[in-house]
Amino acid sequence: MMIMTKTFRAGAIATALFALALSLTPRCKAESEGDGDFAALQASAKQSFRDKVAPFVATYCVDCHGAKKRKGQVSFQAALKNPGASAFSNQWKQAVAIVKTGDMPPDDADKQPTDEERKAFMEWVPKLKFLSPKDPGSFVIRRLTRAEYGNTLHDLFGVDPAIVHELPDEVFGEGYLNSLSPLQMEQYLGIANEVLDRVLAPKGALPTDAQKRLFGEPPAPGIDPRGAARNVARSLARSAYRRPPSEAELDVLLGVFDLARQNKLAYPAALGLMLKAVLVSPQFLFITPAVEAESGRDIVPLDDYQLASRLSYLLWATMPDGELSALADNGKLHEPAVLEAQVRRLLKSPRSRALFDGFGAQWLGLGGLESKAFDTAKFPQMTGEMRSAMYDEARLFFESIVHDNRSVVSLVDCDYTFLNGTLAPIYGLEKTVTGPEMRKVQLTDANRGGILGMPGVLAVTSFPNRTSPVKRGVWVLEQVLGEHVPPAPPNVPALDKQDKKTVANLTLRQRTELHRTNAVCANCHKILDPIGFGLENFDAIGRWRDQDDTGGAIDAGGELPGGKHFASPKELKAIIAARTGDLARNLTEKLLAYSLCRQLEGYDEIVVDQLMQGIAKDGYRMQTLITEVVTSYPFTHRRIQEQLASSSNEKKPAN
């Protein structure tokens, strides 16, 4: 539908809308609160830093990582001045991981710390959280993802969500890219035009049902069309902005209507142009607060409308439905019992598959499975259908754990999965599972079941032509147990660069263990490798095997720190499943970071400590974990950020 003759003016108005909204984003400093217990813990952390950590760093670190020398581009100069600043959180965590493995100070250093000094340093880093004020963290007014944008257009207008297919993919991570390039603006304008073409009637034709629903009846003779248009704008904006519009926002939309009328557009076409302005406005493309914060407040609760959107986009990847919107209109959603009930209602809906598509796939690393390269000669099975089946297995499994409200332990140690005829041969069940439909299958092999033995996960943690014990070990430690693994040191040759004659008759395990002869590699590999070796019975696409590619027998045995021995994947699974608190805390941290669209830092760790108490009381069940995240302090509050940068040196790293 051709709505106007001067499209560029709508684009200019839309661009102005973006600039206006983003320029009005409020900012202010964070408050510092805390009861007596918190103050005591903070004082203890400060004293430990002064008495033990600062001397440790000054003695063993600053010669190579100080003001004059910055080996590896790492300097502790600024971190020592302001240890609690969030900018240095990752630096401290990486430092403790390297000290823990014994990689730093290096063996050739003039001075080496005692075991007691290392222990004191490692025990202090977890206390960093007590140096942060009570604060919900940086508040992200984020843009809708491609999937969210498509789903929202579908819910508003009934169009196919695939209408947004030309938008670029999002980058996986806790945060979201909120910039808008001229190219993206063009894409949004193009999609808006396409939406209008599909839901509005051509000039001169009878209005469509969607048009009647959106615009109502045209004003009768003698009725002010501008007043009628304002009512239409109010209705459109309430739905599209997911909150009531302000009078100033309505004035902007009426300005678009006036522009259309000045260009001789008929009333319906002028409303169409106004709707187009809504669809390219930042209030639609971004999730924005409904009300201005009270003057003088540093931290405020989310208004009910934004809370409804934050919840709905987390669990459904779309706009709030009628029930959530009504609760927000009535000011009831922020009540804890009401909010908890809504979490459970949303999780019961088929729409909650969005939690896996958004969070679960990212957590497990399955977002790249579709495009991951495999050696087609060695693994011809890795067709598009196989990759889809692997993804669906993980999705259905994750959803079953959530919907049945099982413990997080079931994610690791479970006796069922979901298969179809495409995926069943990977499990050796091709005779019992046939056809394209995914269905729940009881497993009798204890080596299977749970995410560690899941073909999709095993595939994404392999190389295109072989398994990778190191990648699998890192994945288990970081994604499942939440441990920090230091990056590999530079100039260490990959396995495929090893001397061919030396490794000709070695199994992959023996070749990997050669890294331990390198003192630089040994400390990390003695932790990583056993986990990876414990999964070596699974080939690069997850099939069971007793011999590796060289024909050598698989040795899946190993020992983990603490003297835990295992000889098979099922025994390794049992050891990891026994770390219930670590499993639950890691998943809680990752879900909280995802829901906030940012990395966790500072006070967030204290929040997680508090969440874990409630989660543990209910047996670490998944719905409780999700509910605890949604009702948490940083999820339900926001920081007004205006003066933060200028008023808090804690948040500004020194250069």
Side-chain angles (χ1 to χ4, degrees):
M1 170 185 170
M2 295 300 294
I3 293 182
M4 58 177 290
T5 58
K6 298 183 179 180
T7 306
F8 75 93
R9 293 193 183 184
I13 290 173
T15 302
L17 278 166
F18 279 107
L20 174 63
L22 296 179
S23 69
L24 294 177
T25 302
R27 299 177 174 271
C28 165
K29 65 180 181 178
E31 65 181 351
S32 177
E33 299 176 354
D35 55 22
D37 291 340
F38 179 82
L41 291 167
Q42 187 176 70
S44 174
K46 290 180 178 178
Q47 183 173 348
S48 294
F49 178 78
R50 287 193 304 267
D51 296 347
K52 298 179 179 179
V53 177
F56 180 97
V57 175
T59 303
Y60 303 113
C61 306
V62 295
D63 284 350
C64 296
H65 304 288
K68 296 180 179 179
K69 189 183 296 185
R70 301 166 60 98
K71 282 191 175 181
Q73 300 302 308
V74 174
S75 171
F76 284 95
Q77 182 184 18
L80 286 170
K81 294 178 180 177
N82 193 6
S86 60
F88 307 125
S89 177
N90 285 336
Q91 182 177 342
W92 286 118
K93 289 178 181 179
Q94 184 165 324
V96 78
I98 293 173
V99 170
K100 181 178 180 180
T101 60
D103 289 336
M104 290 291 167
D107 291 338
D108 60 357
D110 294 336
K111 303 174 185 177
Q112 289 291 336
T114 64
D115 290 344
E116 290 75 15
E117 288 175 312
R118 287 184 187 272
K119 182 180 178 183
F121 178 75
M122 291 186 290
E123 289 179 344
W124 174 80
V125 170
K127 298 179 182 179
L128 271 170
K129 58 192 174 188
F130 298 121
L131 299 183
S132 301
K134 185 177 182 181
D135 180 10
S138 300
F139 180 68
V140 179
I141 297 181
R142 70 169 180 85
R143 178 162 44 90
L144 300 182
T145 67
R146 182 174 66 175
E148 292 170 343
Y149 181 50
N151 291 340
T152 304
L153 289 176
H154 172 267
D155 288 355
L156 283 172
F157 307 110
V159 299
D160 188 339
I163 196 172
V164 304
H165 72 279
E166 290 187 358
L167 289 175
D169 291 332
E170 276 77 36
V171 177
F172 280 115
E174 287 96 350
Y176 289 80
L177 297 177
N178 283 343
S179 59
L180 277 170
S181 67
L183 174 60
Q184 287 173 310
M185 269 301 303
E186 275 189 42
Q187 290 175 314
Y188 282 122
L189 287 167
I191 292 170
N193 283 332
E194 192 172 349
V195 169
L196 268 57
D197 285 344
R198 296 188 185 188
V199 302
L200 303 184
K203 183 178 181 181
L206 293 176
T208 65
D209 291 340
Q211 191 168 338
K212 292 177 182 178
R213 176 174 58 83
L214 294 169
F215 297 161
E217 294 295 330
I223 301 298
D224 176 22
R226 197 171 188 275
R230 191 176 188 90
N231 290 333
V232 172
R234 191 182 304 278
S235 174
L236 292 175
R238 171 62 184 89
S239 297
Y241 297 172
R242 303 162 289 268
R243 58 171 176 77
S246 67
E247 293 303 312
E249 289 169 334
L250 292 178
D251 290 342
V252 172
L253 295 178
L254 262 291
V256 176
F257 176 83
D258 293 339
L259 174 64
R261 298 291 280 172
Q262 292 165 14
N263 281 271
K264 310 302 182 185
L265 268 66
Y267 179 80
L271 292 183
L273 179 60
M274 189 170 67
L275 175 56
K276 182 177 179 180
V278 167
L279 293 182
V280 297
S281 70
Q283 291 89 338
F284 176 60
L285 298 177
F286 292 73
I287 302 174
T288 56
V291 295
E292 292 289 336
E294 296 178 30
S295 177
R297 296 285 298 277
D298 297 332
I299 294 172
V300 297
L302 290 189
D303 62 75
D304 276 21
Y305 297 104
Q306 186 146 42
L307 187 56
S309 288
R310 178 172 266 190
L311 174 61
S312 185
Y313 281 106
L314 172 65
L315 300 184
W316 281 3
T318 192
M319 62 188 292
D321 66 353
E323 185 169 333
L324 274 177
S325 295
L327 288 169
D329 284 335
N330 294 326
K332 296 289 187 181
L333 186 59
H334 69 277
E335 297 177 6
V338 174
L339 184 56
E340 290 177 16
Q342 288 302 305
V343 173
R344 299 188 186 277
R345 179 179 74 87
L346 267 62
L347 288 175
K348 290 179 181 178
S349 167
R351 285 186 163 195
S352 65
R353 76 161 282 172
L355 182 62
F356 178 82
D357 290 335
F359 167 71
Q362 176 179 320
W363 166 51
L364 296 176
L366 295 177
L369 179 61
E370 182 180 3
S371 59
K372 182 177 173 63
F374 285 92
D375 186 326
T376 56
K378 293 186 69 172
F379 305 112
Q381 302 87 350
M382 290 303 291
T383 61
E385 291 80 6
M386 178 64 80
R387 295 166 194 255
S388 294
M390 288 180 172
Y391 182 93
D392 286 342
E393 176 193 20
R395 175 179 62 81
L396 291 168
F397 176 72
F398 180 88
E399 289 175 356
S400 75
I401 301 297
V402 173
H403 292 161
D404 296 343
N405 200 19
R406 288 173 171 260
S407 166
V408 295
V409 176
S410 298
L411 290 165
V412 173
D413 193 9
C414 200
D415 61 357
Y416 69 86
T417 192
F418 293 82
L419 303 176
N420 64 0
T422 301
L423 187 56
I426 301 292
Y427 282 80
L429 298 175
E430 60 272 19
K431 293 182 179 180
T432 56
V433 180
T434 60
E437 182 182 354
M438 300 291 293
R439 82 291 307 261
K440 188 175 180 179
V441 176
Q442 201 71 27
L443 299 171
T444 58
D445 181 358
N447 289 301
R448 294 286 192 179
I451 56 178
L452 299 188
M454 198 164 279
V457 170
L458 294 164
V460 296
T461 53
S462 293
F463 287 118
N465 62 341
R466 64 168 177 84
T467 59
S468 172
V470 174
K471 289 179 70 174
R472 287 177 176 177
V474 170
W475 183 87
V476 171
L477 287 171
E478 293 191 333
Q479 299 305 113
V480 180
L481 296 174
E483 296 189 6
H484 185 85
V485 178
N491 305 320
V492 175
L495 292 187
D496 56 5
K497 302 295 185 182
Q498 290 174 333
D499 180 75
K500 296 287 191 289
K501 293 181 180 180
T502 303
V503 303
N505 297 315
L506 300 181
T507 65
L508 179 61
R509 175 166 187 153
Q510 291 167 335
R511 292 177 61 190
T512 305
E513 287 177 335
L514 286 178
H515 278 293
R516 298 196 195 185
T517 63
N518 185 331
V520 177
C521 304
N523 289 319
C524 277
H525 277 272
K526 69 184 180 185
I527 299 173
L528 296 174
D529 294 352
I531 295 175
F533 294 147
L535 300 174
E536 267 294 280
N537 282 115
F538 301 113
D539 74 1
I541 62 172
R543 295 174 299 188
W544 183 267
R545 60 184 182 168
D546 294 310
Q547 296 178 327
D548 73 3
D549 294 342
T550 68
I554 298 290
D555 177 5
E559 179 183 356
L560 296 177
K564 300 287 186 179
H565 293 267
F566 59 90
S568 63
K570 68 178 181 181
E571 293 179 4
L572 174 62
K573 280 198 327 178
I575 292 172
I576 293 174
R579 295 178 59 175
T580 308
D582 293 332
L583 293 172
R585 186 181 184 92
N586 172 60
L587 195 60
T588 301
E589 289 176 343
K590 283 182 163 47
L591 181 59
L592 182 60
Y594 176 84
S595 70
L596 300 175
C597 309
R598 61 172 177 79
Q599 293 184 347
L600 301 188
E601 57 188 28
Y603 190 78
D604 296 326
E605 295 190 38
I606 297 176
V607 170
V608 174
D609 290 343
Q610 296 166 348
L611 300 187
M612 289 302 298
Q613 296 176 18
I615 295 168
K617 287 179 182 177
D618 194 38
Y620 300 99
R621 296 181 183 274
M622 280 294 292
Q623 288 189 20
T624 301
L625 187 154
I626 295 167
T627 302
E628 288 286 335
V629 167
V630 169
T631 56
S632 68
Y633 175 71
F635 191 92
T636 58
H637 289 71
R638 68 184 178 101
R639 183 172 71 201
I640 316 300
Q641 305 194 9
E642 173 81 34
Q643 300 169 5
L644 180 62
S646 60
S647 65
S648 176
N649 289 330
E650 270 194 332
K651 301 295 181 182
K652 291 174 64 179
N655 294 324

